[in-house]
Amino acid sequence: MCRFLIAVVSAVFLAPVEAEEVRVIESAAGGFQLFVDGAPFPIKGAGGDGDKRLLAEMGGNTFRTWRIDQDTERLLDEANALGLKVTLGFWLGHERHGFEYDDFEQVADEIENFREAVTRFRNHPALLMWAIGNEMEGFDEGGNPAIWMLIEHLARIAKELDPLHPVMTVTAEIGGDRIEAINRFCPSVDIHGINSYGGISDLGERYRAAGGVKPYVVTEFGPPGSWESKPGKWNRPDELTSTEKATHYLQAHQAIEKDPLCLGGYAFLWGAKQEASATWFGMLLQTGERLAAVDALSQVWTGAPPANRCPVIAEIKSPAAHRELKQGERITVSLECSDPEDDPLNVTWQLTEDWDEIAEGGDFRATPPSFPGALIESTSNQAIFRMPRNGGHYRAYADVIDGQGGAATASLSLKVEGKYDPGPSSRIDLPLTIAGGDPLADQAYAASGWMGDTQKIVLTPDSREDPKIGPTCLKFEFTKPAGWGGIAWQSPAGDWGDRPGGFDLSGAATLSFWARGQHGGEVAEFGIGIIEDDKPFPDSARIGKEFTLGSEWAHYRIDLTRQDLTRIKSGFYIVVKATGLPFEFFVDEVVVE
């Protein structure tokens, strides 16, 4: 009898949970609808790494990922516990990052990795569909047949191994050869995923006019991108306030809802990200508070606004925004804000460097340097800044928080006369923490110099997986079994020796850091200085050393004595080469002392 009961209990609690069947069904009128286990499932989702519990509470029913990595199983389990579904993205390399679709080994690796991913996750109850690639065709015509034939091959693998879930591929809008390529080369792809921002209002009409016949999902939508926005006074796009951006999310949802070919959409970005500015696409602040875009989508997802709504920003302005400023000049920035429930508001102000580019493509951008000392005084309605004694472009930010989980944000672009020059030999106090340690501390160097197979690198600057010093550490992942990649911590951010800058670290004796491997045996080169003499502004010294990491934290040191440290542009770097398997390791408290 006892054995019988054990067998019954085992059968109940150990039997695998079966995946739910997901189908795309065409209506008699020519539209399409998504069904999960026989029930209609209009996609009401978002993409990003923000709080998934909040997404569910706001009425969302799904989120999408861009890649499969060591965190995927946890995300799927979390989604299942919250009643959410996941569109699981499989990242395909981009040609602009060095991936070659006619390279036998690279393509073979992608095929094998995808086969393993489908086999591993096909039965998870939270899985909604597979998304093969994201904007892998680039931003030109997108007509390379090798890309589309690989996608078709992967789609067939997915259908062979997992007949219960549809397959999608995701493109950057629909121009060029994208629609024709999918129609001609990808018959096994069920759904066309489309990332669309400023053009979403007439996306359905344009899709049909270009020959689109498959059902589609708007896989990214939000405010117009910086590349779609009219340049402002200083050739920088003027950023909308978070209150104004909410209108664009509503308009996008209306376009999605009215088109019978559209299965729904994923708002971008459920989280915070540096892209064009620190707040351009984020639907949440870095501290987790939600912005008005979340309230707007929650209202259309649930039929009612949240009980406590986000603060409202009517305007951010300054006479200083309309003229070139003197170095060191005092300026005033004004803010008009309010709260629907009259909650007391806390306003924080910040001045940072502005980016020199019109961001496109979603590549990693390091957080630009900030100037906390520039803020002289502030209230909830205005701030007085003293501009840096350096020429260039800057951006003033105001974050408004209501203490109830809601927030608003606005920014203003400013120009200081003269060229920006951080100084080729600016002295800096030692010891200098370059990375790790306090994650909120201002860093002299930014992790902006991504090298090699960048699409295979995942850097988590605030990992909480057993840090050595403080609450967080760096987590470095190389997600593929072949190739090489690395990251350099740079000053100025994003510079490879074409601009002056860096710091004079003369007097430093040691570069030290803590590191540990996930399993032990991971090999990486660590060093300081990586820009060669063929550049106008190279590093004055280049010192690197290869270490084999153990599974426990260990303290590593690189001798800097007798080195010329008068101009160090790359304060720290990591370079790895794959050895047949993906791997990961952790780094903490990188210090020059």
Side-chain angles (χ1 to χ4, degrees):
M1 181 65 177
C2 182
R3 291 180 180 175
F4 173 75
L5 288 175
I6 292 173
V8 171
V9 171
S10 298
V12 172
F13 291 101
L14 300 181
V17 179
E18 292 187 1
E20 296 178 313
E21 183 180 26
V22 182
R23 299 181 63 195
V24 179
I25 298 179
E26 185 173 6
S27 68
F32 292 90
Q33 198 169 5
L34 195 67
F35 285 80
V36 176
D37 262 11
F41 191 91
I43 291 176
K44 298 183 287 187
D49 58 5
D51 186 351
K52 302 305 188 297
R53 184 175 297 278
L54 177 62
L55 177 62
E57 291 172 352
M58 292 292 107
N61 60 8
T62 173
F63 62 89
R64 67 171 290 213
T65 72
W66 283 262
R67 64 177 71 245
I68 293 170
D69 56 26
Q70 291 87 341
D71 204 35
T72 297
E73 187 164 5
R74 182 195 65 78
L75 284 173
L76 287 167
D77 290 343
E78 181 184 11
N80 193 47
L82 294 170
L84 299 172
K85 296 294 182 185
V86 182
T87 288
L88 202 53
F90 180 80
W91 186 264
L92 286 179
H94 291 198
E95 291 177 301
R96 62 196 176 91
H97 292 153
F99 189 89
E100 299 179 9
Y101 280 84
D102 59 355
D103 183 291
F104 184 93
E105 292 298 331
Q106 287 186 316
V107 171
D109 286 344
E110 298 288 56
I111 292 172
E112 185 58 31
N113 291 334
F114 183 69
R115 184 182 295 275
E116 292 176 0
V118 175
T119 302
R120 181 178 178 186
F121 297 115
R122 60 188 172 184
N123 291 321
H124 200 288
L127 179 61
L128 182 67
M129 70 177 78
W130 301 99
I132 302 174
N134 183 82
E135 300 184 350
M136 60 279 137
E137 80 285 2
F139 305 109
D140 295 323
E141 293 302 299
N144 183 354
I147 297 175
W148 305 108
M149 287 190 282
L150 175 58
I151 290 169
E152 169 64 13
H153 185 74
L154 297 178
R156 290 183 182 182
I157 290 174
K159 289 180 173 298
E160 173 191 345
L161 297 176
D162 179 17
L164 296 181
H165 299 98
V167 179
M168 175 169 69
T169 192
V170 179
T171 65
E173 256 284 347
I174 58 170
D177 298 324
R178 289 164 179 79
I179 292 177
E180 182 181 1
I182 290 176
N183 288 344
R184 179 177 294 188
F185 296 120
C186 304
S188 300
V189 170
D190 303 298
I191 301 166
H192 187 163
I194 304 169
N195 295 340
S196 182
Y197 292 91
I200 196 171
S201 60
D202 63 349
L203 177 62
E205 292 84 348
R206 292 187 292 114
Y207 182 68
R208 289 171 176 78
V213 293
K214 294 178 185 284
Y216 68 90
V217 172
V218 183
T219 36
E220 291 179 16
F221 68 88
S226 56
W227 63 92
E228 300 171 307
S229 302
K230 183 179 178 180
K233 174 74 173 177
W234 309 116
N235 204 32
R236 297 294 192 279
D238 293 324
E239 182 176 1
L240 301 174
T241 69
S242 59
T243 304
E244 293 170 321
K245 291 174 189 175
T247 301
H248 288 272
Y249 284 90
L250 280 176
Q251 292 171 346
H253 184 272
Q254 291 167 357
I256 288 168
E257 201 170 37
K258 74 179 182 181
D259 192 346
L261 281 185
C262 187
L263 304 176
Y266 290 94
F268 187 86
L269 170 87
W270 193 260
K273 182 186 182 187
Q274 176 72 44
E275 189 170 344
S277 78
T279 52
W280 196 283
F281 291 110
M283 300 170 69
L284 310 175
L285 291 184
Q286 288 186 345
T287 47
E289 291 85 1
R290 72 183 193 280
L291 298 171
V294 177
D295 286 5
L297 289 177
S298 182
Q299 180 161 356
V300 296
W301 286 345
T302 66
N308 189 285
R309 292 162 293 171
C310 288
V312 174
I313 292 179
E315 187 178 29
I316 185 171
K317 63 181 180 178
S318 174
H322 303 289
R323 61 182 177 83
E324 197 169 30
L325 305 174
K326 301 289 186 182
Q327 296 183 18
E329 180 178 346
R330 287 167 59 113
I331 68 164
T332 299
V333 179
S334 301
L335 182 73
E336 185 180 339
C337 60
S338 60
D339 187 80
E341 291 79 30
D342 292 324
D343 293 322
L345 299 176
N346 178 45
V347 181
T348 60
W349 298 85
Q350 185 181 28
L351 184 73
T352 74
E353 278 187 24
D354 212 357
W355 275 95
D356 289 331
E357 62 175 331
I358 302 302
E360 182 177 18
D363 291 348
F364 172 84
R365 271 92 176 172
T367 301
S370 62
F371 302 88
L375 183 61
I376 299 174
E377 59 182 74
S378 65
T379 67
S380 60
N381 299 115
Q382 74 171 29
I384 299 176
F385 292 101
R386 187 184 301 278
M387 299 307 294
R389 297 190 181 279
N390 215 333
H393 295 270
Y394 299 87
R395 189 173 288 268
Y397 291 92
D399 290 343
V400 184
I401 298 174
D402 67 4
Q404 304 295 322
T409 186
S411 72
L412 200 61
S413 183
L414 303 165
K415 174 71 167 65
V416 175
E417 66 180 8
K419 293 183 178 181
Y420 177 74
D421 181 1
S425 57
S426 301
R427 289 302 302 249
I428 195 165
D429 292 337
L430 300 177
L432 172 65
T433 299
I434 295 178
D438 182 358
L440 300 180
D442 294 329
Q443 305 290 357
Y445 293 92
S448 54
W450 289 49
M451 303 172 278
D453 299 320
T454 57
Q455 75 275 10
K456 301 176 183 179
I457 300 171
V458 180
L459 179 68
T460 306
D462 54 356
S463 172
R464 296 183 178 272
E465 298 181 43
D466 185 28
K468 177 63 179 177
I469 309 294
T472 65
C473 61
L474 303 176
K475 181 180 181 180
F476 186 104
E477 301 173 66
F478 199 70
T479 62
K480 298 295 175 68
W484 74 278
I487 301 175
W489 276 253
Q490 299 171 312
S491 178
D495 175 62
W496 287 100
D498 298 310
R499 298 160 57 194
F503 294 97
D504 182 352
L505 304 182
S506 297
T510 306
L511 170 69
S512 69
F513 57 93
W514 291 86
R516 68 174 177 89
Q518 179 67 18
H519 303 291
E522 295 85 354
V523 178
E525 180 182 334
F526 300 89
I528 183 171
I530 202 168
I531 303 173
E532 300 282 352
D533 291 332
D534 59 344
K535 287 292 191 176
F537 301 96
D539 283 299
S540 58
R542 293 175 291 278
I543 314 101
K545 186 176 181 180
E546 190 172 87
F547 294 98
T548 300
L549 307 181
S551 59
E552 302 292 333
W553 285 108
H555 205 193
Y556 297 90
R557 295 175 176 84
I558 295 176
D559 183 14
L560 301 181
T561 58
R562 298 185 297 279
Q563 299 290 338
D564 177 6
L565 304 176
T566 54
R567 181 175 58 209
I568 298 299
K569 309 284 294 299
S570 317
F572 180 59
Y573 71 82
I574 301 171
V575 172
V576 300
K577 294 180 181 179
T579 56
L581 291 172
F583 61 92
E584 60 191 68
F585 56 85
F586 301 83
V587 178
D588 209 347
E589 199 172 52
V590 181
V591 179
V592 175
E593 52 193 344

